[in-house]
Amino acid sequence: MALVERSLLGPGPTNAYPEATAGLASPMLGHLDPEFLAMLDETGSRLRAVWGTENARTLPLSGTGSIGMEAAFVNFVHPGDVVVVAVNGLFGERMCDVAARYGAEVVRVEHTWGRPVDIERVLAAHPRPSIVAAVHAETSTGVRSDIRALGAALRERDERTLLLADCVTSIGGEQIELDAWNVDIAYAGTQKCLGVPPGLAPFTVSERAWQRRVERPTTWYLDLGLIGNYVTGGASGGRAYHHTAPTAMVASLHAALGRVLEEGMPAVAERHREAGAALQSGLQEMGLELFAAEGHRLHQLTSVVVPEQVDSADVRKQLLNDYGIEIGGGAGEYANTVWRIGLMGPNAGPDRVEVLLGTLRKVLGR
C-alpha cells in the first residue's frame, strides 16, 4: 500500500525535518553498541542545550510524550503527596488523572480553556504542596503560560515544592530555560517542533528532585533509577541492560537536534514566531476569530474559532482529501467549534503559511 504525502499542519505530529528522516535510515546499531551509546550520550547533551538545563539526568524515554507524563508522576509522587495541577486544557486534565492513579492528593486549579495559568490562584490553592504541575504550551487550546514566573513565585515561597512542566509543544519551537525558570521535572515529545516522528519522550530531572524520587515506583518499565543505570551508567560506571531502546528513533532525534542547534535556538524560535504571527494575521484578515487569549497565543499552534454555519469536520475533510493538508479539530467540548493549526518544525515557514491561507480562503469562500 503506497501512502500519500500530507502537509501535517495540525497539533501534531508534524512533518519531519529531512535530517530526522535520514536518521531513521542510518545503519542499525544494537542498543549496547558503543557507537550507539556515544550517540545516546550526545543526544542527552543536545537536549540539555535545547532545553536550557545542566541536569545530568536528561534523556529520551522510549514512548511518546504521554510516557513522559507517566514517568514524571510515578517516579516523584509518594502516596498522599499533595499535587497542585493548573488545569487550563486537556493536558492539565490528564495530569490530574495520572497523578491520582499514583496516590497523589490532587488539588485542581480550574481555568477557562483558552486562558493562561493564573499564578496567584495556583499559589493560593495549597500552602505547601509537594509538586505543582502546569502545561507550558497547552496543545488543546494554543495557550502559553508563564512557567518562568510560576517557578520564581514557588521558589520564593517554599524551597521544598517541585515544579513539573509539560513542554511537549514548546520544546524546539521557542526559547526555554528550564534551570533559570526553576523547573525540576519536565517532559516533552518528539513529534511537534522538534520535527521528529512520534516515539520518544525527552525527559529531564533536577538533582534536588532526584533526591526525593520514589525509590521503588509501582512500574518497572518507567523506573528512572533502572533506566538511569542504562542511560548514564550505574554506580560501577557500566551500562546495565534495561530494555531494548529504539535505536533508530534515537538516531532520528539526534540528527534533528543537531539540525536545530546548527540553526541556533534563537533563530529557530524566531522562525516559529514569524510563521505564527503571519498565520494569525492572515486568519484575522479573513474575518476569523482566534480562540486563545490575546498576548498568550502560541506561535507554533494557533487555535481558531470555527465560523457559524460552517461544518468543522467537512472543512477538515476537504482540506485533507482535496489538498493533502491536515489541520486538527478542537479538544473536549470544543471538538467541533475550534480548529487547531500547527506550524511546527520544518513547517514553520512562510511557504506553508501562504499555501494554507490560500487554500482556506478557497474552501471557505472568503
Side-chain angles (χ1 to χ4, degrees), residues 153-301:
L154 286 172
R155 192 62 63 90
E156 181 180 353
R157 185 182 73 171
D158 182 4
E159 286 278 341
R160 181 179 176 278
T161 300
L162 301 177
L163 176 57
L164 190 162
D166 176 321
C167 298
V168 171
T169 302
S170 55
I171 190 172
E174 56 187 277
Q175 203 73 44
I176 300 175
E177 300 291 342
L178 292 182
D179 288 354
W181 297 358
N182 297 302
V183 174
D184 294 287
I185 307 161
Y187 61 85
T190 53
Q191 72 275 17
K192 298 181 190 285
C193 296
L194 288 178
V196 178
L200 292 174
F203 192 93
T204 189
V205 55
S206 70
E207 183 61 31
R208 80 188 201 112
W210 185 252
Q211 296 305 318
R212 290 170 45 192
R213 73 188 185 280
V214 178
E215 294 282 352
R216 191 175 174 83
T218 57
T219 171
W220 178 89
Y221 186 72
L222 293 179
D223 183 332
L224 290 176
L226 297 178
I227 296 173
N229 289 337
Y230 164 65
V231 175
T232 62
S236 64
R239 309 275 186 150
Y241 166 70
H242 179 256
H243 69 283
T244 303
T247 56
M249 278 301 306
V250 174
S252 182
L253 174 59
H254 176 267
L257 288 169
R259 181 251 177 270
V260 166
L261 291 172
E262 183 177 358
E263 182 179 354
M265 262 316 303
V268 171
E270 179 62 17
R271 175 163 57 83
H272 281 78
R273 188 201 67 77
E274 289 179 353
L279 173 65
Q280 291 168 13
S281 176
L283 292 169
Q284 290 176 307
E285 287 173 6
M286 291 168 58
L288 298 177
E289 177 187 352
L290 303 182
F291 177 73
E294 186 174 0
H296 303 279
R297 293 168 182 153
L298 295 175
H299 296 119
Q300 61 270 42
L301 181 64

Side-chain angles (χ1 to χ4, degrees), residues 1-357:
M1 177 181 176
L3 298 179
V4 299
E5 186 172 348
R6 308 283 198 197
S7 291
L8 301 178
L9 306 182
T14 189
N15 298 97
Y17 282 118
E19 292 85 351
T21 302
L24 286 173
S26 59
M28 182 68 71
L29 295 174
H31 60 285
L32 292 174
D33 186 299
E35 288 195 23
F36 172 72
L37 293 175
M39 180 172 63
L40 180 61
D41 289 345
E42 190 168 50
T43 300
S45 178
R46 290 177 176 184
L47 280 173
R48 281 189 282 272
V50 168
W51 242 343
T53 181
E54 296 295 327
N55 291 340
R57 296 175 181 86
T58 301
L59 65 153
L61 296 177
S62 303
T64 59
S66 296
I67 278 287
M69 181 187 292
E70 196 98 17
F73 288 106
V74 72
N75 283 278
F76 297 98
V77 171
H78 298 263
D81 277 356
V82 174
V83 176
V84 172
V85 181
V87 181
N88 67 332
L90 175 64
F91 293 95
E93 291 275 3
R94 288 191 182 177
M95 282 181 164
C96 293
D97 187 2
V98 174
R101 288 171 187 249
Y102 293 118
E105 179 188 332
V106 176
V107 178
R108 299 169 58 101
V109 184
E110 302 285 357
H111 296 71
T112 300
W113 284 31
R115 303 292 303 177
V117 170
D118 184 323
I119 294 170
E120 293 305 317
R121 291 182 53 229
V122 170
L123 292 175
H126 194 278
R128 202 181 182 196
S130 296
I131 297 173
V132 168
V135 179
H136 182 210
E138 178 53 78
T139 313
S140 64
T141 63
V143 168
R144 177 188 300 99
S145 292
D146 193 344
I147 298 299
R148 175 197 291 271
L150 178 59
L154 286 172
R155 192 62 63 90
E156 181 180 353
R157 185 182 73 171
D158 182 4
E159 286 278 341
R160 181 179 176 278
T161 300
L162 301 177
L163 176 57
L164 190 162
D166 176 321
C167 298
V168 171
T169 302
S170 55
I171 190 172
E174 56 187 277
Q175 203 73 44
I176 300 175
E177 300 291 342
L178 292 182
D179 288 354
W181 297 358
N182 297 302
V183 174
D184 294 287
I185 307 161
Y187 61 85
T190 53
Q191 72 275 17
K192 298 181 190 285
C193 296
L194 288 178
V196 178
L200 292 174
F203 192 93
T204 189
V205 55
S206 70
E207 183 61 31
R208 80 188 201 112
W210 185 252
Q211 296 305 318
R212 290 170 45 192
R213 73 188 185 280
V214 178
E215 294 282 352
R216 191 175 174 83
T218 57
T219 171
W220 178 89
Y221 186 72
L222 293 179
D223 183 332
L224 290 176
L226 297 178
I227 296 173
N229 289 337
Y230 164 65
V231 175
T232 62
S236 64
R239 309 275 186 150
Y241 166 70
H242 179 256
H243 69 283
T244 303
T247 56
M249 278 301 306
V250 174
S252 182
L253 174 59
H254 176 267
L257 288 169
R259 181 251 177 270
V260 166
L261 291 172
E262 183 177 358
E263 182 179 354
M265 262 316 303
V268 171
E270 179 62 17
R271 175 163 57 83
H272 281 78
R273 188 201 67 77
E274 289 179 353
L279 173 65
Q280 291 168 13
S281 176
L283 292 169
Q284 290 176 307
E285 287 173 6
M286 291 168 58
L288 298 177
E289 177 187 352
L290 303 182
F291 177 73
E294 186 174 0
H296 303 279
R297 293 168 182 153
L298 295 175
H299 296 119
Q300 61 270 42
L301 181 64
T302 297
S303 50
V304 190
V305 177
V306 178
E308 292 185 10
Q309 311 306 318
V310 170
D311 187 310
S312 171
D314 186 62
V315 169
R316 289 190 291 113
K317 181 179 179 180
Q318 190 174 347
L319 287 172
L320 189 68
N321 293 341
D322 296 349
Y323 302 98
I325 297 173
E326 177 184 275
I327 67 171
E333 65 179 280
Y334 301 99
N336 298 315
T337 57
V338 168
W339 290 318
R340 291 180 294 161
I341 303 173
L343 295 174
M344 298 183 281
N347 292 337
D351 54 337
R352 293 301 174 102
V353 175
E354 291 173 10
V355 169
L356 178 61
L357 288 175

